[in-house]
Amino acid sequence: MAPISEYINVLVYLAVALAIGVLAVVVGAVLGPKRPSRAKLMAYESGNDPAGEVKRFPVHFYAVAMLFIIFDVEVAFLWPYALSAGGLGLTGFYVLLIFTVLLFVGFLYEWFKGVMKWH
């Protein structure tokens, strides 16, 4: 196991990134102008006044979008393996096999729960 000192750079990077994000939100909220008006609080639809009934997307669209992101991230994990497959040997192959089987089990679960059926 690697000593913790090898992870210090990553931890510092994450801490600085988090601090910049939080600082930007806090500074914007504190220093930003607060002059709400009726026009500013009204819904915005491509420069037109809102008209008609609000139509919401079914939750199914969001579920499919999240599934796409999950399986898209899988490709991001497979890419480094594809580049270094020769040096990882059988251990790397078995780890990738377990990863792929777990993703396939999740895919089957989603399939049998009916998430991918369009009603």
Side-chain angles (χ1 to χ4, degrees):
M1 181 175 236
I4 192 74
S5 63
E6 293 185 18
Y7 296 103
I8 294 295
N9 291 337
V10 175
L11 294 175
V12 168
Y13 177 80
L14 290 174
V16 169
L18 182 68
I20 288 173
V22 169
L23 185 68
V25 171
V26 169
V27 167
V30 171
L31 298 179
K34 296 168 188 68
R35 293 185 292 268
S37 66
R38 185 175 186 275
K40 288 182 182 179
L41 296 176
M42 196 168 75
Y44 183 77
E45 293 182 7
S46 304
N48 300 321
D49 290 336
E53 191 176 318
V54 176
K55 218 174 175 183
R56 297 192 182 263
F57 284 105
V59 176
H60 183 73
F61 287 102
Y62 298 109
V64 170
M66 287 188 295
L67 294 176
F68 171 77
I69 290 171
I70 289 169
F71 287 106
D72 193 45
V73 169
E74 171 194 4
V75 173
F77 282 120
L78 291 177
W79 187 260
Y81 174 78
L83 294 178
S84 61
L88 296 176
L90 280 177
T91 305
F93 173 74
Y94 290 135
V95 168
L96 180 71
L97 187 64
I98 291 169
F99 176 72
T100 307
V101 166
L102 286 174
L103 280 170
F104 186 68
V105 167
F107 175 75
L108 288 177
Y109 175 77
E110 294 161 359
W111 186 278
F112 288 118
K113 284 298 237 182
V115 173
M116 300 200 193
K117 288 183 183 174
W118 292 94
H119 300 284

